[in-house]
Amino acid sequence: MCNEERFNEAEIKGRKKIEDFLTSRGVNEFNFTIDQYCQTDVILTKDDKVYTIEIKDRRKKYENYNTFIVEKSKIDYMAKLYKEGKTSNSYICQIFDNHFYFFSFTKLTRLIEEGIIKEDTILLPKTTIDYNDMTYKKVYFVPKKYAML
């Protein structure tokens, strides 16, 4: 299977998981973004407010870590949406099998401003599907305890 096919398969799998999660909690007013390379995957409306969700469907073995990696570029993009008034808040949802960890943009921003979470640069695969090209990325190591479950 080529990398693009693996990417598409992973994208569909993650979207199905979040769809099942949201509908099981009575959240039905949401849409998936059309562009598979968009920095957000879900746009939902609740109480006349708009929220976005970025889905990261991870391998189960990584759930055991005390911190999760959040790319700075994701936070920067969410900040842009927030400042432009396009969202009330954004979330990064890291999924491990059927366990969901939601990280709120507004909470992460506060933790970064307070110096609790610090920026770092690490060598990572360019994408999580294609492990051939490595690149340095700016990231935050976010303690699991700051997630909403």
Side-chain angles (χ1 to χ4, degrees):
M1 183 181 303
C2 75
N3 290 334
E4 187 168 344
E5 288 172 341
R6 288 192 351 229
F7 176 85
N8 290 336
E9 184 179 293
E11 187 79 4
I12 291 167
K13 182 179 163 189
R15 287 177 177 220
K16 177 66 175 141
K17 286 180 181 182
I18 198 77
E19 178 180 21
D20 292 347
F21 178 87
L22 292 172
T23 56
S24 73
R25 283 153 180 80
V27 178
N28 297 306
E29 294 183 40
F30 64 90
N31 293 299
F32 291 106
T33 54
I34 297 169
D35 180 1
Q36 66 182 6
Y37 298 106
C38 184
Q39 292 194 41
T40 58
D41 296 299
V42 181
I43 301 169
L44 66 90
T45 305
K46 184 172 180 173
D47 301 325
D48 295 323
K49 294 182 180 180
V50 176
Y51 302 89
T52 62
I53 302 172
E54 166 69 9
I55 303 166
K56 296 295 180 189
D57 194 5
R58 306 290 192 203
R59 289 184 178 91
K60 179 76 172 153
K61 67 181 182 178
Y62 297 120
E63 185 178 13
N64 295 325
Y65 289 96
N66 291 327
T67 59
F68 297 148
I69 294 172
V70 173
E71 290 183 36
K72 182 181 183 298
S73 64
K74 302 294 183 193
I75 300 294
D76 292 346
Y77 182 73
M78 291 176 174
K80 180 178 182 273
L81 293 176
Y82 188 76
K83 287 177 186 172
E84 292 174 353
K86 294 181 178 176
T87 64
S88 295
N89 199 358
S90 295
Y91 297 88
I92 295 174
C93 177
Q94 298 211 12
I95 306 170
F96 301 87
D97 196 23
N98 287 316
H99 299 139
F100 295 76
Y101 296 84
F102 287 89
F103 293 95
S104 161
F105 161 75
T106 54
K107 185 172 186 177
L108 289 175
T109 299
R110 182 176 47 79
L111 294 169
I112 292 165
E113 288 171 354
E114 293 173 359
I116 296 169
I117 297 173
K118 298 184 182 348
E119 182 182 312
D120 202 348
T121 302
I122 60 173
L123 189 61
L124 291 170
K126 192 169 184 177
T127 69
T128 52
I129 298 298
D130 180 6
Y131 292 99
N132 296 327
D133 296 328
M134 300 295 283
T135 187
Y136 284 97
K137 294 183 180 183
K138 292 183 179 187
V139 300
Y140 297 102
F141 290 98
V142 181
K144 191 188 306 189
K145 68 181 181 182
Y146 295 117
M148 297 179 295
L149 302 174

